[in-house]
Amino acid sequence: MSPGALPGFRDFYPTELAERSFIFGGWREVAREYGFVEYDGPPLEPLDLYTKKSGAEIVDQLYNFTDKGKREVALRPEMTPTLARMVAARANAMRKPVRWFSIPQLFRYERAQRGRLREHFQLNMDIVGEADVSADAELIASAIDAMRVFGLTNEDVVARVSDRRLLNALLRGIGVPEQQLGAAYAALDKLDRDPRDVLEQRLETAGVGSEPRARLFELARAAANESDFARLVRDAGASAEYDELRRYLAHTEALGVRDWVRLDLSIVRGLAYYTGIVFELFDAKGELRAICGGGRYDTLLESLGGVSLPALGFGMGDVVLGELLRARGKMPPAAPALDVWVAYGESGSVESAMRVAAKLRARGRSVEYALGHQKLARQLKAAHAAGARQTVVVATPELSDGEAMVRRMADGGEQKVQLDAWIASE
RNA sequence: GUGACCGUAGCUCAAUUGGUUAGAGCACCGGACUGUGGCUCCGGGGGUUGUGGGUUCAAUUCCCAUCGGUCACCCCA
């Protein structure tokens, strides 16, 4: 094997780039429908933009180096800090709420695995300046429509939703003290992965009593059943927080995405900065990694940018989504790129084709012809191989001056035309 | 960062459990079908068997290392 791209990095051959463009096109379409405008920032940022809030450990996971001006820099691993800086700098001048989206290429220095490379593109959609749960509903609806736009349904993808505020109230209500919240979150996060007794053991080690432990598992199980869950919520004294979540769910109904959404307390999301409703999108078969994740982070802009504004957003990577679209047959075949192939017979030359091509191109058509000198039969073969929509043949002995033969590739229909008139109609 | 499995042509795979010059299909390039098309036929290019060592008369095959891929941890996006 000749050396390829760096580990975890991809070469995009035309086939792959066509798929990438298809995904980006769907994303931009949905962002537009929801009134989001596109922005971008630098792919290289000061290292402390990321260490300031995530701590020095984060450096292990970054592509970072010292530049020639002795600055500590890093390739961006996520877009939110850049967004926070940009919004904070002009916060007063912008109409709220701000709806911004971006499709940055992000970098993480980690061992590559399926669905998880060292580089990927990620749709980021964020709303800044709105604290009401209607914004949360709007956000998850846009993420779900970013599935629909590719022909995926709620048979293919499920949105799992939790709420940090509700969860905190519940955990306090069942007797988990503040300093044990982290352990409780970790256990919830691992609910599907690790067996119950392992989780119990960990919680016990963290100091969580047996009564709160039992109620924790009861809560997680009950989330799927609304009446059971409502009772547990009342018992834990978290009714106010639950009412907010129910308002959110009602909004998703109004937005037409309720049947994609499932309440699931095991959705914790690693990022510590989430403060409210959080969600993830998974393929329904559970074969792939998360497609998308996001939520509300009302305090992040203040800590990163010094401006206190409520905010929420999600990131959706191109790698897992691409795998899902291929697996479900939703990736379209490459469309024919060529409008016209120009071929010439033996009473002409390559310049006969060039003159026609130049006129067609001036009219905006995509046109190719055989370079060098080739026999007509070969030119026609090439026209077929190139996938041209139609072929125009000029300069054969059968044609008089100014005439051409046009053939549509789709149905093989052929007709003799006046060349200049035909070009003018193309 | 830790552990497990796997590396043969651009792709999918062969090579009689160590034995001649590592093959086939697809793809690509060219020729024929004496100049209007997806067919057919013929030919061609392309591999240091991921790389480097070791064992052996002999290594794609066995051993070690390394690089890469995959998977599980870790962590998250």
Side-chain angles (χ1 to χ4, degrees), chain A residues 277-295:
Chain A
I277 289 169
V278 293
F279 69 93
E280 294 189 345
L281 263 49
F282 287 89
D283 84 289
K285 292 189 179 175
E287 293 165 351
L288 305 173
R289 293 167 185 280
I291 300 161
C292 166

Side-chain angles (χ1 to χ4, degrees), chain A residues 302-372:
Chain A
E302 173 144 44
S303 56
L304 279 180
V307 175
S308 180
L309 279 173
L312 60 159
F314 70 79
M316 179 185 295
D318 70 315
V319 180
V320 176
L321 178 58
E323 284 175 359
L324 181 64
L325 293 178
R326 277 187 292 275
R328 301 288 178 272
K330 304 294 187 190
M331 205 65 97
L338 270 191
D339 294 319
V340 183
W341 183 283
V342 185
Y344 58 93
E346 72 169 9
S347 48
S349 72
V350 67
E351 290 190 346
S352 319
M354 286 170 163
R355 288 189 188 94
V356 176
K359 287 178 188 165
L360 285 166
R361 286 167 175 163
R363 298 187 59 81
R365 304 296 76 155
S366 67
V367 183
E368 196 180 337
Y369 57 89
L371 298 174

Side-chain angles (χ1 to χ4, degrees), chain A residues 206-355:
Chain A
V208 181
S210 69
E211 173 67 17
R213 287 208 302 273
R215 298 186 68 184
L216 178 64
F217 289 109
E218 194 185 0
L219 262 179
R221 239 196 343 269
N225 181 319
E226 183 148 347
S227 59
D228 286 359
F229 190 64
R231 180 178 49 80
L232 290 168
V233 166
R234 269 196 309 276
D235 293 350
S239 293
E241 289 81 0
Y242 188 46
D243 286 346
E244 278 288 281
L245 181 63
R246 285 210 304 216
R247 227 154 51 73
Y248 165 82
L249 291 173
H251 289 331
T252 64
E253 174 82 48
L255 287 164
V257 298
R258 179 63 183 90
D259 49 1
W260 293 63
V261 174
R262 232 170 48 201
L263 185 59
D264 186 338
L265 297 185
S266 73
I267 296 304
V268 170
R269 313 265 321 133
L271 297 176
Y273 55 68
Y274 286 114
T275 57
I277 289 169
V278 293
F279 69 93
E280 294 189 345
L281 263 49
F282 287 89
D283 84 289
K285 292 189 179 175
E287 293 165 351
L288 305 173
R289 293 167 185 280
I291 300 161
C292 166
R296 181 171 281 281
Y297 48 92
D298 282 346
T299 56
L300 188 67
L301 257 65
E302 173 144 44
S303 56
L304 279 180
V307 175
S308 180
L309 279 173
L312 60 159
F314 70 79
M316 179 185 295
D318 70 315
V319 180
V320 176
L321 178 58
E323 284 175 359
L324 181 64
L325 293 178
R326 277 187 292 275
R328 301 288 178 272
K330 304 294 187 190
M331 205 65 97
L338 270 191
D339 294 319
V340 183
W341 183 283
V342 185
Y344 58 93
E346 72 169 9
S347 48
S349 72
V350 67
E351 290 190 346
S352 319
M354 286 170 163
R355 288 189 188 94

Side-chain angles (χ1 to χ4, degrees), chain A residues 8-72:
Chain A
F9 284 76
R10 297 169 288 176
D11 287 330
F12 287 91
Y13 286 84
T15 307
E16 286 95 51
L17 190 67
E19 294 183 344
R20 186 176 103 185
S21 299
F22 172 69
I23 289 173
F24 286 12
W27 282 348
R28 289 202 165 92
E29 171 63 17
V30 171
R32 187 191 62 77
E33 288 169 3
Y34 279 78
F36 284 65
V37 292
E38 189 165 7
Y39 71 99
D40 200 359
L44 193 67
E45 290 277 18
L47 179 63
D48 64 14
L49 184 64
Y50 306 110
T51 55
K52 211 160 37 179
K53 280 304 142 194
S54 307
E57 325 75 81
I58 192 79
V59 176
D60 295 341
Q61 321 238 6
L62 296 181
Y63 264 97
N64 70 298
F65 58 95
T66 307
D67 78 3
K68 290 178 181 176
K70 303 277 190 272
R71 283 174 286 261
E72 292 298 325

